[in-house]
Amino acid sequence: QVQLVESGGGLVQPGRSLRLSCAASGFNLDYYAIGWFRQAPGKEREGVSALSGSDGSTNYADSVKGRFTISRDNAKNTVYLQMNSLKPEDTAVYYCAARPGWEALLLPAWYDDWGQGTQVTVSS
């Protein structure tokens, strides 16, 4: 059974950093892509970043390129999203999701299993 648990959200001032964690269980990360998504109030869920388990390729939304980094710790079966230079517009609930296959896609519809989400608020 695929399970994903996010953690690491919180309240942070603009310009600061946060690292989100997605602890995965019930499946082998080598055969899955993991994506990070976010949803702000009144907006659709959007893809932020994704990582292919098979070849390590990554994908980023234009809005976060150069600021966010996705990575993986095989020993801990955990995928991270390092978020630097945070802006108020990054405020949202952040979700991780998994899909079988190697493509690091940013479209939510392609993902089958989701975590419960973690709130990130960027405000002074």
Side-chain angles (χ1 to χ4, degrees), residues 45-61:
R45 191 169 298 187
E46 63 173 354
V48 174
S49 182
L51 173 69
S52 169
S54 60
D55 64 5
S57 59
T58 58
N59 197 2
Y60 294 93

Side-chain angles (χ1 to χ4, degrees), residues 26-83:
F27 64 102
N28 190 330
L29 279 177
D30 288 343
Y31 304 111
Y32 279 72
I34 300 294
W36 281 100
F37 301 83
R38 66 186 182 188
Q39 189 165 19
K43 295 188 176 181
E44 293 188 354
R45 191 169 298 187
E46 63 173 354
V48 174
S49 182
L51 173 69
S52 169
S54 60
D55 64 5
S57 59
T58 58
N59 197 2
Y60 294 93
D62 288 343
S63 59
V64 305
K65 279 181 182 176
R67 299 189 298 124
F68 290 12
T69 303
I70 191 169
S71 64
R72 169 182 161 186
D73 185 329
N74 291 339
K76 296 182 178 180
N77 226 38
T78 298
V79 176
Y80 302 100
L81 184 68
Q82 177 67 42
M83 307 186 295

